[in-house]
Each structure stands twice: as C-alpha cells, then as structure tokens.
C-alpha cells in the first residue's frame, strides 16, 4: 500500500509515519468485521479473497514474462530459464537462511504444528460439516500452496532481470512490478485483493485468539456457568484489546534484521515444538504423566532461548547451527524425555475421553490417494526448481528431468491404486450399507 499509493508523498509524511498510519487504518477496518462478524465473516471473506489472489497471482508473472520477452510470453519464460538459471534453484545451501536439509530436521515439524495444531489454521477445518468435507478443504489448500513459487518467487526473479540491482531492497521488487506492469484499470482490483490477503491473516488470528482465550482460560477459570451471549461479548472485548496491542507492535517489525519471515519462524519456535511433542506423545503413549508435559514446556522455552539467542548474547559463542535445526534437536530430546517419564513414572490411570458423534467420521474415499498425489507433486516441484530442472546450466532442463518426472508419475499411479484398494477393504461394510440404502 505504501509503495503503490506513495503514501509518504501523498500526505507529506515520513516513511515511518506513513507505516503507522497504514497499519492503524488497515488494522481497524479488518478488526471491525473480524470481531463483530465472527468466524462466518472470516470464512466468507477468505473465500472471496482467495479467488482474487489466485487471479492476480497468475496475472503478475504472466505480464512479467510478456514484458521480459518484449511482448513474447514464451521468450520471457525462456529468459529466466537460460540467463542465470541458478536463481531458480530452490535447494538452499548450508549458508542460506533456510538450508535445504532443514526441511527434514525442523521445517517438517514446524509445518506439522502449523497445519495440524494451530487454531489459526484448523478452525476452518473444525467448522466443516463432516470429516469428508474437512479433508477435502485441507487437501485443496495443499495444492494451492504449491502455487507459491509462481505467485511469490517467480515475480522476484522477473524483477531481477528487469531492474537488476537498481532496487534498494528485495521487498520493493513486487510493488515495482505491480506499479509498472498492471494497467490502471486493474490497480484498484489488485489493491482490494492485497488488502483482502492482509485482512485474511489478521482477522483469522483475532478470531482464533479470542476463541482460545474465552474457551480455554476465561470460561474454565472465571465463568464456568456463563451463557454463550456473555462469552461472545467477552471475546469481542478481548479481540479489541489484542488488536490495539498489535497495532502498536506491528510497525516495529520493519526493523527485523533478517526479514519478517525469519523473525516469525524464530519466535514461533518458543511454543510450536513442545506443543507438537505433547500432542504426538499423548496420541501414541497414554500413560505419560501430566508433569512430563509441564517440564517439557518450561525446558523448551529456556533451551530454545539459549540455542537461538543466549549462547551468542551471554557467552559470545556462535555455534553456527541454524535455529531450524534446533527445532529437530529439541524435539528429539523432549520426545526421549517424555518416553522416559512414561515408563519410569507412568500415570496411574489414563483419562477416558467421551467422543460425541455429532458429525460423520467416515473419511473421504480419496483422502489418502489425493494426499499421495500432493506429496509427489511437492517432490516434483523441488525437482523442477533444482539443478535437475529449471536451474540446470545445460539448457532449460537437464537430461534427468523427464526420467525423474516419469518415475514420479508411475509411483503416484501405483500408490494411488494400492491406497484406494486398502480403503475399500477397510470400509467395505460401510459401502455395502450405502449400496443397500440406495436401492
């Protein structure tokens, strides 16, 4: 917004003052319909914003390719694939902010927490009418996630080829592309979609944190017999307070030394791994004592601080290990500790959970097959953006690209058929009952 409308010049303000102005204006608008509209307003707005984001997400790189190729779309695509193709390599080295192997040591677990345990994300799934619809929504979102390289990374590479090193910051590349490539008639639409994306994240977070506070803290501790109307009223007040606090904090994030993404990842590391460990061990080991979970949470906060910040700040020692690897290291330590506590000091009696069958819990027939397709698509995306694929110096792609693609396709077909047969075998009785009802 600052770049597209040149807010500092428009209002005669400094960059910092303009940032504060935009944060408060955008935040207040988003908070109003998140707090008073509830989850339904968030879900409806997210759907509309998502459609707009997909449209603009494809439009920007297409226009960029056409501009880069002097009016020829294919020529523009060829340019980024043959001129400095190493910039298309997604396989990060050990010196990058996100080393490639951190996918298997830390990113995997961070994303497992984000997609499976984060109320901010799963509240949509919990609102599905049954298990099948929830699974369909999650899997569709997974495929949309595969579009991120097209929507976010490719425009940055196009900007590099168009503007070189004239941009003072990489954060300015996307606004520069929008300003120069989009016709005036689409600028308003793009702004609406951009603000919608901002609202989507902010509104979902407000709705989520208000829900957690009211149901997990306020009601159990202070108002066990409170009515739904009272809880909703409290959640609105709490959401308003959180929104005001976020308005004050948000402008200071521009001073993040390694970028906002890295800062968020670093600070979410204080809670994502211990929560994941506790939930996983609760699923697989029923006799772990409650004290083990409490110890893990306290231990992780201090150990993670030392690993990421403490050793360097307190002792002047830089171990040179990425904080993302720290996720995996601490996860292993905490899992082993909880397993030890489960065997050495087992809980006397596991708490029995009474499940309310308020929705149908028969899984979607194609949940596992589509999951397999999604996994192989992720692998293929990494192959595409690697030295085997578009980052190859031997041409547009290397000689290994098509055999690897064929192998992934065959593996997908085989696993699809096997998983489908397994589902039909497991739920044969359910299928026979459906068939009889249909008759």
């Amino acid at each position: 917004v600052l770049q597209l409308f040149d807010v500092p010049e428009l209002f005669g303000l400094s960059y910092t003052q303009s940032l504060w102005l935009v944060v408060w204006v955008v935040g207040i608008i988003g908070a109003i319909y998140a707090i008073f509209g509830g989850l339904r307003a968030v879900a409806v707005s997210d759907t509309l914003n998502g459609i707009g984001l997909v449209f603009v997400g494809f439009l920007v790189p297409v226009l960029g390719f056409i501009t880069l190729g002097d009016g020829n779309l294919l020529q523009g695509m060829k340019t980024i694939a043959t001129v400095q193709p190493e910039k298309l390599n997604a396989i990060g080295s050990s010196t990058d902010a996100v080393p490639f192997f951190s996918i298997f040591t830390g990113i995997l677990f961070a994303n497992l927490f984000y997609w499976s345990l984060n109320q901010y994300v799963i509240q949509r799934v919990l609102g599905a009418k049954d298990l099948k619809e929830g699974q369909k929504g999650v899997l569709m979102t997974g495929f949309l996630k595969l579009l991120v390289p097209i929507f976010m990374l490719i425009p940055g590479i196009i900007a590099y080829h168009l503007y070189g090193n004239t941009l003072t910051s990489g954060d300015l590349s996307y606004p520069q592309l929008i300003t120069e490539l989009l016709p005036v008639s689409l600028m308003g639409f793009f702004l609406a979609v951009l603000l919608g994306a901002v609202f989507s994240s902010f509104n979902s977070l407000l709705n989520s944190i208000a829900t957690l506070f009211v149901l997990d803290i306020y009601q159990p501790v202070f108002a066990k017999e409170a009515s739904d109307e009272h809880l909703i009223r409290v959640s609105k007040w709490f959401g308003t307070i959180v929104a005001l606090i976020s308005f004050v904090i948000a402008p200071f994030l521009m001073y993040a030394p390694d970028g906002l993404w890295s800062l968020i990842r670093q600070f979410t590391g204080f809670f994502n791994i211990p929560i994941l460990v506790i939930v996983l061990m609760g699923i697989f080991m029923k006799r772990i004592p409650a004290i083990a979970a409490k110890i893990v949470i306290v231990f992780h906060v201090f150990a993670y601080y030392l690993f990421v910040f403490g050793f360097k700040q307190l002792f002047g020692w830089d171990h040179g290990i990425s904080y993302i690897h720290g996720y995996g290291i601490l996860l292993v330590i905490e899992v082993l500790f909880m397993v030890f506590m489960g065997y050495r000091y087992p809980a006397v009696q596991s708490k029995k959970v009474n499940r309310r069958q308020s929705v149908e819990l028969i899984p979607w027939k194609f949940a596992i097959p589509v999951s397999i397709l999604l996994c192989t698509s992720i692998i293929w995306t990494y192959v595409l953006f690697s030295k085997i694929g578009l980052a190859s110096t031997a041409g547009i792609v290397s000689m290994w690209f098509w055999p690897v693609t064929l192998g992934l396709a065959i593996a997908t077909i085989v696993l699809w058929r096997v998983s489908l047969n397994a589902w039909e075998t497991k739920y044969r009785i359910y299928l026979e009952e459906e068939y009889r009802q249909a008759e």
Side-chain angles (χ1 to χ4, degrees), residues 6-297:
D6 197 6
V7 175
E9 181 70 22
L10 187 63
F11 293 100
L13 302 174
S14 67
Y15 181 85
T16 302
Q17 292 172 329
S18 301
L19 181 62
W20 279 86
L21 175 64
V22 170
V23 166
W24 277 81
V25 170
V26 172
I28 290 173
I29 296 173
I32 287 175
Y33 80 78
I35 293 171
F36 296 100
L39 182 58
R40 180 180 294 275
V42 171
V44 172
S45 63
D46 280 0
T47 302
L48 298 176
N49 293 332
I51 296 172
L53 281 173
V54 170
F55 174 75
V56 173
F58 280 114
L59 182 63
V60 172
V62 167
L63 293 177
F65 284 135
I66 293 174
T67 304
L68 188 60
D70 293 327
N72 189 318
L73 173 68
L74 296 179
Q75 182 59 42
M77 298 173 68
K78 183 179 179 181
T79 298
I80 70 165
T82 55
V83 179
Q84 293 185 286
E86 66 275 4
K87 293 190 175 297
L88 292 169
N89 189 8
I91 311 298
S93 66
S94 59
T95 59
D96 289 326
V98 184
F100 176 71
F101 286 104
S102 67
I103 293 174
F104 309 103
T105 59
I107 292 294
L108 175 65
F109 303 116
N111 284 335
L112 185 58
F113 164 83
Y114 184 80
W115 293 108
S116 304
L117 301 175
N118 190 347
Q119 172 72 9
Y120 164 69
V121 173
I122 65 171
Q123 60 183 348
R124 284 117 162 130
V125 182
L126 296 175
K129 68 177 183 179
D130 56 35
L131 180 59
K132 292 179 183 178
E133 296 304 311
Q135 290 175 327
K136 292 174 184 178
V138 169
L139 291 170
M140 183 191 72
T141 304
F143 283 103
L144 290 176
K145 193 72 174 176
L146 292 176
L147 300 176
V148 168
I150 298 174
F151 292 173
M152 301 181 64
L153 305 182
I154 294 298
I157 297 173
I158 293 173
Y160 172 80
H161 284 282
L162 289 175
Y163 313 123
N165 296 320
T166 59
L167 295 174
T168 57
S169 171
D171 294 335
L172 300 177
S173 58
Y174 203 88
Q176 184 76 14
L177 278 177
I178 296 301
T179 303
E180 296 194 5
L181 298 184
L182 282 186
V184 177
S185 58
L186 287 175
M187 290 291 286
F189 176 75
F190 173 78
L191 177 63
V193 170
L194 178 63
L195 291 178
V198 175
F199 290 155
S200 174
S201 298
F202 181 59
N203 299 342
S204 300
L205 182 60
L206 276 183
N207 185 273
S208 173
I209 197 171
T211 301
L212 290 173
F213 171 76
V214 169
L215 297 182
D216 293 344
I217 298 177
Y218 180 78
Q219 185 182 33
V221 177
F222 302 105
K224 293 182 179 180
E225 305 299 326
S227 64
D228 290 343
E229 291 77 12
H230 176 74
L231 295 177
I232 292 173
R233 186 164 58 252
V234 171
S235 71
K236 290 179 179 179
W237 278 108
F238 183 75
T240 301
I241 294 171
V242 171
L244 293 174
I245 294 173
S246 67
F247 298 163
V248 176
I249 295 175
F252 293 102
L253 296 179
M254 69 177 178
Y255 299 111
D258 298 320
L260 183 58
W261 189 91
S262 181
L263 179 70
I264 292 173
R265 282 292 189 188
Q266 285 182 346
F267 278 90
T268 54
F270 278 104
F271 59 83
N272 57 8
I273 296 303
I275 292 176
L276 176 63
V277 168
I278 292 168
V279 171
L280 288 179
M281 298 311 295
I283 293 173
F284 295 110
M285 291 189 67
K286 303 299 182 183
R287 298 184 67 83
I288 295 178
I291 188 64
K294 298 174 183 177
I295 293 174
V296 160
I297 292 174

